[in-house]
């Protein structure tokens, strides 16, 4: 193990970092050296999984913080440092990403998709979707259904 000490201008030690000398070869993943002020990966995974499983519900900072046993304030601060996004933006982005996946298939109507991903009204869903994706949900669906159809027809033509 190599230990490095960073000295302050006054000459006292301020930070000690321990770095392994040899590469990690035990078969387990190498420990991740994370920044101070971020959520531990296990807690980040737990809360992002919770968000994805509960997209159809109204999610509050208090609920999300409780998932990782933190106050809403500290959770929001550490979550943003960990993901680069505030919790609300992360939730909205996850909702739109899931909606895009659902829109690529014709089974559900756009109104149904808006509810499945947690928007109260289809018009609010359409507004947010357009702002983040650059196209309306209808345009997105039309493009992806046409692309999917042409790929399937191309596959059939190639096999004949």
């Amino acid at each position: 193990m190599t230990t490095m000490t960073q000295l302050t201008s006054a000459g006292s030690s301020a930070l000690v970092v321990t770095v392994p000398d040899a590469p990690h070869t035990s078969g387990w993943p190498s420990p991740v050296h994370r920044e101070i002020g971020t959520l531990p990966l296990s807690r980040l995974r737990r809360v992002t999984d919770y968000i994805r499983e509960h997209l159809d519900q109204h999610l509050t900072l208090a609920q999300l913080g409780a998932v990782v046993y933190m106050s809403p304030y500290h959770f929001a601060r550490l979550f943003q440092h960990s993901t680069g996004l505030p919790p609300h933006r992360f939730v909205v982005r996850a909702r739109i990403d899931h909606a895009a996946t659902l829109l690529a298939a014709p089974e559900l109507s756009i109104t149904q998709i808006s509810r499945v991903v947690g928007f109260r009204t289809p018009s609010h869903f359409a507004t947010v979707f357009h702002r983040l994706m650059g196209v309306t949900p209808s345009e997105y669906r039309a493009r992806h259904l046409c692309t999917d159809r042409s790929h399937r027809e191309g596959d059939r033509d190639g096999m004949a």
Side-chain angles (χ1 to χ4, degrees), residues 45-89:
R45 191 175 310 112
R46 188 180 320 141
V47 76
T48 55
D49 288 348
Y50 181 87
I51 289 168
R52 287 186 182 96
E53 292 167 7
H54 297 89
L55 285 176
D56 62 329
Q57 300 172 16
H58 176 70
L59 299 172
T60 65
L61 278 179
Q63 286 174 303
L64 298 177
V67 169
V68 291
Y69 312 106
M70 300 178 83
S71 73
Y73 169 78
H74 284 96
F75 165 73
R77 188 174 52 81
L78 295 180
F79 187 89
Q80 183 165 353
H81 283 136
S82 301
T83 63
L85 293 172
H88 177 72
R89 281 198 186 152

Side-chain angles (χ1 to χ4, degrees), residues 104-160:
E107 289 81 26
L108 296 174
S109 72
I110 293 173
T111 299
Q112 290 170 319
I113 291 171
S114 72
R115 289 195 183 106
V116 166
V117 298
F119 286 90
R120 291 187 181 163
T121 66
S123 63
H124 184 233
F125 166 66
T127 300
V128 174
F129 191 92
H130 185 265
R131 185 178 42 205
L132 291 177
M133 303 296 279
V135 294
T136 66
S138 300
E139 291 169 339
Y140 184 90
R141 171 170 268 175
R143 289 179 187 175
H144 282 76
L145 289 179
C146 287
T147 303
D148 188 41
R149 224 178 272 133
S150 67
H151 284 316
R152 282 186 280 157
E153 289 172 4
D155 289 345
R156 274 190 251 138
D157 291 341
M159 297 186 127

